[in-house]
Amino acid sequence: MKKHLLKFVFLTIILSLIVFQKEGFALNTSFDKITLQNGDVVQGEIVGSRKNFNTSITLIGIDKKKANYEFTEINSVELFNGLYFEKIIEISEKSLVQVLFNGVLSVYKLDNNYFIKNQKGEILKLQEPSAIEQRNLNLSVRSLGVISKLMEGNCNKTEEYLQKKFNLNDEFLVALFEEYHQCLGLASQTHYYTTPIMKISPMIGAGVSFQSNYGYDAAIGINYTMPNNPIFLIGVRFSEIRKLSERLSLDIQVGFSDSEQKLMVFFENNIRSFTAMQEYNIRSINIPISVNYNIFHRRNSAVFVGIGGNYRLNNMSTNLAVIDNFEKSTGYSFLENLEISSISSGNLSATAKIGAMIKIAGKSRLWLETSATNNANTQSIFISSHQSKQSKFIGNLTLGVTF
């Protein structure tokens, strides 16, 4: 079992490396942009954190060359997802500040602190909306009062929120300031997510599966013949979840496999010896759910590991079943048509996987993964008065596409 698993993992790693060597052919229609102090604009993909820009930034350019830009060289950063960061000395001399909204009144954010720039160019700091403060309406109301003093006339909508529950967060402030500027007909610019809250990608794949039964039983001799068989998968991947790490994703899949197997069993006591054979098919529907983490992450490619659970629905159909019952005292053999094995109709087991994904065109990505599942005590063998429980190790190698 371990030998098969190591082969699968090794093969996946090799194929993953081949995939990443071809990464230069992947299409990319959106880039991160860094504007330097001298006015030059460089485009590519920023490597590392996309939240705090207070040190040097590493950028892989459109030409696939890597370059480092020191904080002192940078004027602003615009991410592919719509977020925008700028050097604003009045707020911080050590970090770029996130710009949420630009207009007659502007909204900035640094860490969990919000700042408002008024018509005179003065910058006012609001309180930090921590988890405790979010539950304390009075603290948020005080900040709303500061904003209300900056918004004059009939377009001031802040009083409408005083009697409501609201969270002083990015979405609320952007919507409030957009409404105010639109009401007055003032020009403005919003710098916020242009990407959805999460990416939902249908998945389809096919591959090969192998099974290996195990379970030591000194009383009987057991031998399985289990050829590799094809598997088919469909499912959905949830990724780029805004509230979580961009390295995390969730896979929910449904798979089908049909495995033709052969079982040989020998059992002996003081009176008789039994030699039995059963040929059968196991048709299975698998429902694996896994949480994945990108151990190597780029916007166009990733190497990931995943853990989760797999619920397996099984149906066994016997093609041939024979028992040779040999009586030692008489020397006679009796042949019987009798099944000696059965499999549980359903079982839940842990699963783990490792794989790679690369963008091929548009929203489509090619993925390759190896998964391993251990089904404990899922198959039973009955012969004479003896019963043996067998566990099943299942490994899959799958190639597919997400859309």
Side-chain angles (χ1 to χ4, degrees):
M1 180 182 67
K2 291 182 179 180
K3 182 178 179 182
H4 288 302
L5 177 60
L6 289 174
K7 285 182 178 179
F8 264 51
V9 172
F10 179 75
L11 180 59
T12 302
I13 293 173
I14 294 298
L15 291 176
S16 299
L17 292 175
I18 294 174
V19 165
F20 282 112
Q21 287 180 350
K22 303 296 183 182
E23 184 183 350
F25 296 100
L27 301 178
N28 188 353
T29 57
S30 58
F31 302 99
D32 300 322
K33 299 178 183 178
I34 299 177
T35 301
L36 303 178
Q37 293 284 2
N38 60 10
D40 291 345
V41 177
V42 290
Q43 299 184 65
E45 180 181 353
I46 292 175
V47 180
S49 173
R50 297 173 179 273
K51 296 180 179 180
N52 299 313
F53 297 105
N54 51 18
T55 58
S56 63
I57 298 177
T58 300
L59 181 85
I60 298 178
I62 301 175
D63 57 0
K64 302 300 177 183
K65 294 182 179 179
K66 183 183 293 187
N68 291 320
Y69 298 93
E70 297 299 325
F71 176 77
T72 53
E73 300 179 82
I74 300 169
N75 183 62
S76 63
V77 172
E78 183 179 353
L79 301 182
F80 80 100
N81 59 12
L83 299 188
Y84 180 71
F85 300 80
E86 192 174 276
K87 187 173 288 185
I88 303 175
I89 303 301
E90 295 86 346
I91 297 177
S92 175
E93 297 181 354
K94 299 180 180 179
S95 299
L96 295 183
V97 177
Q98 184 178 353
V99 181
L100 292 171
F101 187 86
N102 263 331
V104 173
L105 301 175
S106 299
V107 185
Y108 308 121
K109 182 181 180 181
L110 179 63
D111 298 326
N112 288 322
N113 296 298
Y114 292 103
F115 301 83
I116 310 297
K117 185 173 74 172
N118 62 18
Q119 293 92 332
K120 297 178 182 180
E122 300 169 336
I123 295 178
L124 308 175
K125 180 182 178 182
L126 303 183
Q127 102 289 340
E128 179 181 348
S130 66
I132 296 177
E133 290 169 329
Q134 290 285 9
R135 294 193 294 268
N136 189 331
L137 185 61
N138 291 330
L139 292 174
S140 293
V141 166
R142 289 209 300 269
S143 290
L144 198 62
V146 173
I147 297 172
S148 179
K149 291 180 180 179
L150 301 176
M151 296 182 174
E152 300 175 347
N154 296 328
C155 291
N156 184 356
K157 305 296 182 180
T158 56
E159 291 186 5
E160 298 179 8
Y161 294 95
L162 293 176
Q163 306 302 323
K164 302 178 182 179
K165 290 184 178 180
F166 64 92
N167 291 325
L168 193 66
N169 54 27
D170 298 6
E171 293 88 346
F172 173 78
L173 289 174
V174 167
L176 183 65
F177 279 78
E178 278 184 339
E179 185 180 15
Y180 175 73
H181 282 70
Q182 289 171 4
C183 179
L184 292 177
L186 299 174
S188 64
Q189 186 176 14
T190 299
H191 300 284
Y192 202 55
Y193 286 103
T194 56
T195 54
I197 295 176
M198 73 173 65
K199 182 178 180 181
I200 303 175
S201 306
M203 308 177 73
I204 185 171
V208 62
S209 175
F210 76 88
Q211 300 183 21
S212 176
N213 279 25
Y214 66 94
Y216 178 73
D217 192 328
I220 59 177
I222 304 173
N223 182 52
Y224 292 95
T225 301
M226 296 181 174
N228 297 339
N229 59 278
I231 56 170
F232 303 94
L233 280 172
I234 59 172
V236 177
R237 168 166 285 195
F238 301 90
S239 60
E240 300 178 17
I241 305 172
R242 187 180 297 175
K243 298 296 183 180
L244 300 177
S245 168
E246 62 183 4
R247 290 179 177 267
L248 290 175
S249 61
L250 173 69
D251 289 349
I252 301 177
Q253 300 170 324
V254 177
F256 174 78
S257 64
D258 187 352
S259 176
E260 183 175 332
Q261 303 179 11
K262 182 178 180 180
L263 170 64
M264 298 287 295
V265 175
F266 177 79
F267 175 70
E268 183 178 18
N269 57 30
N270 294 331
I271 302 174
R272 303 170 185 273
S273 65
F274 300 86
T275 303
M277 183 269 290
Q278 183 175 341
E279 294 180 354
Y280 54 89
N281 283 72
I282 297 179
R283 296 177 178 87
S284 301
I285 296 176
N286 300 286
I287 308 175
I289 299 176
S290 68
V291 176
N292 312 310
Y293 181 79
N294 294 337
I295 55 177
F296 180 89
H297 177 76
R298 299 275 177 81
R299 198 155 68 247
N300 288 333
S301 53
V303 172
F304 59 87
V305 294
I307 57 173
N310 179 42
Y311 188 74
R312 186 177 179 89
L313 296 169
N314 302 303
N315 177 263
M316 176 186 283
S317 60
T318 299
N319 304 317
L320 178 64
V322 178
I323 295 180
D324 183 355
N325 183 350
F326 177 74
E327 290 188 351
K328 295 181 179 180
S329 60
T330 64
Y332 289 107
S333 291
F334 303 92
L335 294 179
E336 298 179 81
N337 184 8
L338 185 66
E339 296 181 6
I340 59 168
S341 181
S342 65
I343 193 167
S344 61
S345 58
N347 62 281
L348 178 64
S349 55
T351 185
K353 63 184 180 182
I354 179 173
M357 183 172 288
I358 184 171
K359 184 175 181 179
I360 49 178
K363 296 181 179 180
S364 300
R365 282 171 166 77
L366 188 70
W367 56 274
L368 172 73
E369 69 179 34
T370 295
S371 63
T373 303
N374 183 56
N375 299 280
N377 300 321
T378 188
Q379 191 163 350
S380 300
I381 298 174
F382 306 90
I383 187 164
S384 183
S385 60
H386 188 81
Q387 178 181 356
S388 175
K389 285 287 189 179
Q390 297 285 297
S391 298
K392 191 180 294 290
F393 174 83
I394 301 173
N396 298 325
L397 180 63
T398 313
L399 179 67
V401 178
T402 66
F403 303 97

